[in-house]
Amino acid sequence: MIKDDIEKIMLDEAVLKETVKTIGAQITADYAGKEIVLVCILKGSVIFTADLARAINLPLTIDFMVASSYGNGTSTTGNVKILKDLDQDVEGKHVIVVEDIIDSGVTLNYLLHNIKNRRPASLKLCTLLSKPERRKVEVVVDYMGREVPDYFLVGYGLDYAEKYRNLPFVGILKPEIYQS
Ligand code: IMP
Ligand code: MG
């Protein structure tokens, strides 16, 4: 059972559901009368984006970006590259970047500058989770789910070595899993 690799549940299904609903309502209110482009940063944000999109009661499109990731490690190398770019031109559009978790902020900082150069009408950042104590570069978060302490987390899209994304909650991975 993949659940056996979890030390402790950090955000259970009910909390996640409530968090997504709250952010969706905020976005719906803030963008009334507008059309949005949700930019899902693959792969970690895919489950959050799927739920968030359904919690927003406005016309929107969803696009995807892949940034180079941690590989199989548990912390960033600081070297960001775009491996898959957006399909659409976002010039003049209202863009919300959807991220699973902000750790050092290095990935987001790079991606936000990159998208800003394409002249969107507006650009905001939405993240499900944030580890503020780990920040190396400042990123302004417009929509924030929960701040979490510095544990390596998996589930609800978050992976370790590509696994555990399908857990319906966010939990702390047992250190012996990534230390072995
Ligand atoms: P940053 O550039 O250091 O902010 O890295 C952010 C990315 O690292 C996130 O989008 C996640 O994909 C990954 N990440 C950061 N912390 C965790 C974690 O605790 N578990 C799983 N992935 C994480
Ligand atoms: Mg990610």
Side-chain angles (χ1 to χ4, degrees):
M1 293 268 286
I2 58 171
K3 281 184 187 170
D4 298 339
D5 296 349
I6 303 304
E7 182 142 317
K8 186 173 163 247
I9 294 180
M10 186 118 238
L11 305 170
D12 65 20
E13 285 189 71
V15 167
L16 288 171
K17 208 171 172 181
E18 195 52 45
T19 304
V20 171
K21 199 176 141 189
T22 304
I23 299 175
Q26 278 171 8
I27 292 175
T28 302
D30 293 351
Y31 288 82
K34 293 177 183 148
E35 194 175 309
I36 305 166
V37 183
L38 288 186
V39 171
C40 171
I41 309 301
L42 291 174
K43 300 169 192 170
S45 305
V46 74
I47 293 177
F48 176 43
T49 303
D51 284 344
L52 180 65
R54 286 174 288 183
I56 298 172
N57 188 16
L58 291 172
L60 62 78
T61 60
I62 303 174
D63 211 329
F64 301 92
M65 244 176 151
V66 180
S68 53
S69 70
Y70 290 7
N72 287 348
T74 58
S75 69
T76 189
T77 56
N79 209 342
V80 187
K81 268 184 255 159
I82 293 177
L83 304 179
K84 187 230 167 276
D85 206 347
L86 298 173
D87 290 336
Q88 61 181 293
D89 182 1
V90 294
E91 183 170 352
K93 307 251 178 86
H94 295 286
V95 176
I96 303 176
V97 171
V98 183
E99 182 59 298
D100 50 356
I101 185 165
I102 307 177
D103 187 68
S104 70
V106 170
T107 313
L108 252 294
N109 184 53
Y110 177 86
L111 291 179
L112 289 172
H113 279 101
N114 185 287
I115 296 171
K116 201 167 192 173
N117 286 336
R118 306 175 197 200
R119 301 170 169 275
S122 66
L123 178 60
K124 284 193 181 181
L125 171 62
C126 172
T127 187
L128 177 67
L129 306 172
S130 173
K131 289 181 187 166
E133 33 178 316
R134 296 263 305 173
R135 211 67 95 243
K136 282 189 199 143
V137 285
E138 202 202 327
V139 275
V140 179
V141 181
D142 301 287
Y143 301 100
M144 157 90 82
R146 306 269 161 163
E147 290 195 341
V148 288
D150 181 19
Y151 292 106
F152 194 77
L153 304 171
V154 293
Y156 199 69
L158 295 163
D159 74 306
Y160 171 65
E162 295 298 328
K163 289 192 282 186
Y164 307 102
R165 296 193 198 275
N166 57 324
L167 287 171
F169 54 79
V170 173
I172 301 171
L173 187 64
K174 286 183 180 164
E176 62 253 40
I177 304 291
Y178 54 84
Q179 278 159 4
S180 63

